[in-house]
């Protein structure tokens, strides 16, 4: 089992914690991690792009000139793609980009990325994150104490004061154990977990 230091909000080490090998010590599967990231980005796409084909552009119903004898190339419509104001040849249409991956693959990808954060020394465990008021400056001070500028902060419980205090810092994102995903963990340079969050993650994914 991996042993990690536990820090308090002042950035001081207050103990150690053993991490379960079933969650934080698995073999990293880069293919599944890549697949999970691609799936999330694809599922986030709106897919609402649209352009008109020649059949949808208004006008152009009449043949612009007769077929022969004008010296021009033959034309059937002023809304053909080669004309200004014409339709788009292979116009994009609204579509759904989302796809599914198996639950087991999703879990394995999440375990892989959690393990990679431990191996890279980019996982910080704090004993608790509690604020007495909603104050961005106070939350920023905690991050400075932990020497972190860009991170995903995972909480055991939904603490409104902490979430609201962190919301205005563009490089910090908060999440609950039930909402963590591979993409957010990778995007945040450091992963910060409360002791409660570690316990819940091990209960859910072990």
């Amino acid at each position: 089992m991996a042993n990690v230091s536990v820090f308090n909000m002042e950035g001081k080490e207050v103990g150690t914690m053993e991490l379960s090998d079933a969650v934080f010590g698995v073999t990293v599967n880069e293919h599944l991690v890549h697949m999970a990231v691609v799936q999330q980005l694809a599922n986030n796409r709106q897919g609402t792009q649209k352009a008109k084909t020649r059949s949808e552009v208004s006008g152009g119903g009449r043949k612009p000139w007769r077929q022969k004898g004008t010296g021009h190339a033959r034309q059937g419509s002023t809304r053909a793609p080669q004309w200004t104001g014409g339709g788009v040849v292979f116009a994009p249409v609204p579509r759904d980009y989302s796809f599914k991956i198996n639950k087991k693959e999703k879990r394995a990808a999440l375990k892989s990325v959690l393990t990679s954060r431990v191996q890279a020394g980019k996982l910080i465990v704090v004993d608790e994150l509690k604020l007495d008021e909603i104050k961005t400056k106070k939350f920023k001070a905690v991050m400075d104490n932990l020497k972190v500028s860009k991170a995903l902060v995972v909480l055991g419980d939904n603490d409104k004061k902490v979430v609201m205090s962190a919301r205005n810092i563009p490089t910090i994102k908060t999440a609950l154990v039930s909402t963590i995903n591979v993409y957010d963990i990778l995007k945040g340079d450091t992963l910060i977990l409360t002791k409660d969050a570690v316990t819940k993650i091990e209960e859910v994914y072990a």
Side-chain angles (χ1 to χ4, degrees):
M1 285 189 171
N3 257 328
V4 293
S5 300
V6 178
F7 298 89
N8 61 16
M9 289 170 60
E10 283 74 48
K12 294 173 183 172
E13 189 175 335
V14 292
T16 59
M17 186 176 190
E18 279 194 345
L19 299 177
S20 169
D21 283 343
V23 179
F24 295 95
V26 301
T27 304
V28 177
N29 188 324
E30 290 184 4
H31 171 66
L32 288 182
V33 171
H34 175 261
M35 223 160 81
V37 171
V38 171
Q39 189 222 15
Q40 183 166 347
L41 293 176
N43 291 0
N44 285 347
R45 291 184 72 172
Q46 283 188 312
T48 53
Q49 73 278 45
K50 177 75 176 79
K52 292 183 178 181
T53 62
R54 62 182 294 172
S55 65
E56 296 167 318
V57 180
S58 63
R62 178 176 160 274
K63 190 172 170 70
W65 50 73
R66 59 197 175 94
Q67 182 84 341
K68 291 176 175 293
T70 63
H72 293 298
R74 53 196 172 188
Q75 300 291 335
S77 168
T78 56
R79 293 297 176 262
Q82 73 271 20
W83 283 71
T84 300
V88 179
V89 183
F90 298 114
V93 293
R95 56 171 285 197
D96 180 13
Y97 289 92
S98 65
F99 65 95
K100 289 183 178 179
I101 62 174
N102 297 335
K103 281 183 182 177
K104 281 186 179 178
E105 291 176 328
K106 228 174 191 174
R107 288 170 69 92
L110 191 65
K111 289 180 187 180
S112 291
V113 81
L114 289 170
T115 300
S116 71
R117 278 291 171 258
V118 175
Q119 292 173 351
K122 291 190 172 182
L123 184 139
I124 297 173
V125 178
V126 292
D127 56 352
E128 64 172 3
L129 273 174
K130 297 285 182 189
L131 296 176
D132 52 6
E133 61 178 329
I134 298 171
K135 197 80 174 171
T136 300
K137 187 184 275 188
K138 288 189 176 182
F139 187 87
K140 181 73 167 62
V142 175
M143 294 296 106
D144 291 342
N145 292 339
L146 296 170
K147 297 182 176 63
V148 171
S149 58
K150 185 178 182 183
L152 173 69
V153 180
V154 182
L155 307 170
D157 297 302
N158 190 9
D159 189 325
K160 187 181 177 184
K161 289 177 182 174
V162 174
V163 173
M164 297 288 279
S165 298
R167 194 170 65 172
N168 212 27
I169 306 173
T171 55
I172 302 291
K173 183 170 182 176
T174 57
L176 297 174
V177 172
S178 58
T179 62
I180 56 172
N181 59 73
V182 172
Y183 178 70
D184 285 343
I185 293 172
L186 287 174
K187 195 176 180 187
D189 186 53
T190 306
L191 177 63
I192 298 174
L193 302 172
T194 62
K195 283 180 76 173
D196 285 351
V198 173
T199 305
K200 287 185 178 180
I201 288 171
E202 289 178 349
E203 286 173 0
V204 173
Y205 294 102

